[in-house]
Amino acid sequence: MKIFWWSLAAVLILLGLATVWLPIPTGVPLLALGLIVIVGTSRTAARHLRKRRRETPPLNYAISWVENRSPLRFARILKRTRPRDTRHPHNPENRT
């Protein structure tokens, strides 16, 4: 079953890349859908995306933007990749 989902994700991403430059805005939603399918089926991909979101604020902003405009079912998958706040209120290293 995982092969089916990964194949679907690959098709969505390839279609998104092929149509991203067209005047009809279909490329970005297809790319986002492909990303959601991959993250929804792979913990490793979710961890990798979380790390990238933590290290790259513009990417985090873009994915948060998609999160807020996606249906609840898709937004829930993307919210799993939000960077975790590792600061603890009682940790002296976090005081500013």
Side-chain angles (χ1 to χ4, degrees):
M1 191 60 144
K2 197 171 194 175
I3 292 173
F4 168 76
W5 289 114
W6 280 75
S7 300
L8 176 66
V11 168
L12 289 170
I13 290 171
L14 289 174
L15 285 173
L17 289 172
T19 61
V20 76
W21 304 111
L22 294 178
I24 301 170
T26 58
V28 174
L30 288 172
L31 289 169
L33 215 57
L35 175 71
I36 289 169
V37 170
I38 289 173
V39 169
T41 58
S42 170
R43 287 184 181 181
T44 304
R47 274 185 294 226
H48 183 68
L49 182 58
R50 184 180 305 118
K51 182 179 177 186
R52 293 291 159 248
R53 286 180 73 172
R54 187 180 321 117
E55 294 172 352
T56 315
L59 176 66
N60 186 36
Y61 176 78
I63 294 176
S64 295
W65 185 87
V66 172
E67 245 178 55
N68 294 332
R69 286 155 182 80
S70 296
L72 182 61
R73 183 178 223 174
F74 299 136
R76 209 175 284 149
I77 293 170
L78 288 175
K79 285 180 183 175
R80 287 187 355 205
T81 66
R82 282 184 180 170
R84 293 189 177 128
D85 187 12
T86 57
R87 296 177 297 167
H88 192 273
H90 301 293
N91 188 350
E93 295 176 4
N94 294 329
R95 293 191 181 154
T96 54

